């Protein structure tokens, strides 16, 4: 998987160089932005999912500690007004490699003098399903930790292919329609099925793997630890998504999307399987003076049929509501999440379902344009029978407190 991904990036490089050579030097524009983030963390006591546990948060183990949460940089090259190349790279100690790529794409958007405008993107990028994660590196605007929905999107979804967007603008606002065809997202769904929902601000790099829960491996007679590739292709079938949105440019924004990776649930490579994942997502935002209200809901399913006579399906759903307040150099937010999964197999209801809820409060202060100080408290309660496999009570409540110092450059 890593070699195929590197080969794809190498194939893209000559094209970028050709564009650079063909563009007048005075028309090219370069830019770079980034940040580095260090934190004081008081984590929940349950072992974090990144360490093979069934904890729902990024950090676990219960001991107060300083953490290097990561650094990210985004560079762009504007070859001409219509063509731009963008790459986002992250440094983070828990990745397979210290440096990994989050996004790398070309965008073509011709200048429009009418009510209609269109654009296309080619490469690897996050799908446009989030109202919170608008910051560099798939970071949320209001909090440190995204909602369960947008945490999962960062963990398992990436558009590796092409996306087209069509806009119609008038005095009242803008209608936007988008659609994409993509590849290398066949494993999407494995984590929501085997691990369940989590809340973390560490999106998966393009060449990274994610660790399976130890409890899942033990339940199926395997020996932990093990990890699974997230961006891989097993059946040579294209996936798709499509969406529509309305923005009145003043207060309201509403959107609706449909996603289907069209994976063949019987396809696999060695011990890694394609998961047929599909879902609906809907979101809305409303701005009233200094207050912003966000809400998003998602419902879908993921399924495998690794051999004749056996299937496993996980139905999943989640929703959140957030209220944010912003004035001068202060930003406050309160968010509530609910989430669930239901697991069914050939033999009946499985043990990998769950129910949960979470409450997050975050306060950010910007004493300088290049400095953000954020305190966040996140309380999460979930019931997952799978915990019994590793001698834990099915229901666990965890609290994660973080103080972040983020320096922008």
């Amino acid at each position: 998987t890593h070699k195929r991904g590197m080969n794809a990036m190498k194939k893209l490089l000559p094209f970028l160089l050709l564009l650079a050579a063909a563009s007048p030097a005075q028309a090219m524009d370069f830019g770079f932005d980034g940040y580095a983030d260090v934190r004081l963390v008081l984590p929940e006591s349950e072992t974090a999912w990144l360490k093979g546990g069934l904890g729902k948060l990024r950090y676990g183990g219960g001991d107060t500690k300083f953490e290097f949460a990561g650094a990210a940089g985004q560079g762009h090259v504007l070859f001409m007004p219509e063509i731009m190349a963008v790459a986002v790279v992250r440094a983070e100690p828990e990745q397979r490699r210290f440096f990994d790529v989050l996004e790398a794409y070309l965008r073509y958007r011709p200048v429009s003098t009418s009510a209609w405008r269109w654009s296309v993107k080619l490469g690897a990028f996050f799908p446009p399903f989030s109202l919170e994660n608008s910051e560099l590196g798939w970071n949320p605007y209001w909090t440190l930790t995204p909602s369960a929905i947008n945490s999962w999107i960062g963990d398992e979804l990436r558009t590796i292919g092409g996306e087209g967007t069509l806009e119609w603008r008038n005095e009242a606002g803008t209608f936007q329609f988008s659609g994409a065809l993509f590849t290398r997202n066949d494993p999407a769904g494995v984590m929501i099925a085997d691990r369940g929902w989590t809340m973390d601000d560490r999106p998966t790099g393009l060449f990274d793997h994610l660790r399976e829960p130890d409890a899942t491996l033990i339940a199926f007679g395997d020996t932990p630890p093990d990890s699974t590739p997230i961006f891989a292709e097993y059946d040579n079938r294209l996936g798709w998504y499509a969406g529509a949105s309305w923005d009145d440019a003043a207060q309201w924004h509403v959107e609706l999307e449909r996603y289907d990776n069209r994976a063949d649930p019987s396809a696999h490579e060695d011990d890694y399987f394609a998961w047929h994942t599909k879902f609906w997502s809907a979101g809305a935002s409303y701005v009233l003076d200094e207050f912003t209200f966000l809400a998003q809901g998602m419902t879908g399913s993921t399924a495998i049929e690794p051999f004749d006579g056996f299937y496993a399906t996980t139905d999943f759903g989640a929703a959140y509501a957030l209220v944010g307040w912003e004035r001068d150099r202060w930003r406050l937010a309160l968010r509530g999440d609910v989430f669930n999964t239901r697991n069914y197999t050939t033999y009946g209801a499985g043990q990998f379902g769950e129910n949960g809820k979470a409450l997050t409060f975050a306060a950010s202060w910007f004493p300088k344009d290049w400095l953000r100080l954020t305190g966040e408290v996140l309380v999460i309660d979930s019931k997952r029978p799978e915990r019994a496999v590793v001698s834990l009570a099915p229901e666990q409540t965890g609290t994660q407190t973080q103080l972040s110092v983020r320096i922008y450059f």
Side-chain angles (χ1 to χ4, degrees), residues 116-133:
W116 294 93
R117 181 170 66 178
W118 63 275
S119 64
V120 293
K121 291 169 69 174
L122 295 172
F125 46 91
F126 291 100
F129 301 158
S130 178
L131 297 175
E132 355 169 60
N133 288 46

Side-chain angles (χ1 to χ4, degrees), residues 177-196:
F177 308 93
S178 62
L181 294 174
F182 57 85
T183 184
R184 305 188 68 78
N185 232 174
D186 287 349
V190 59
M191 300 306 291
I192 201 72
D194 291 350
R195 176 206 65 186

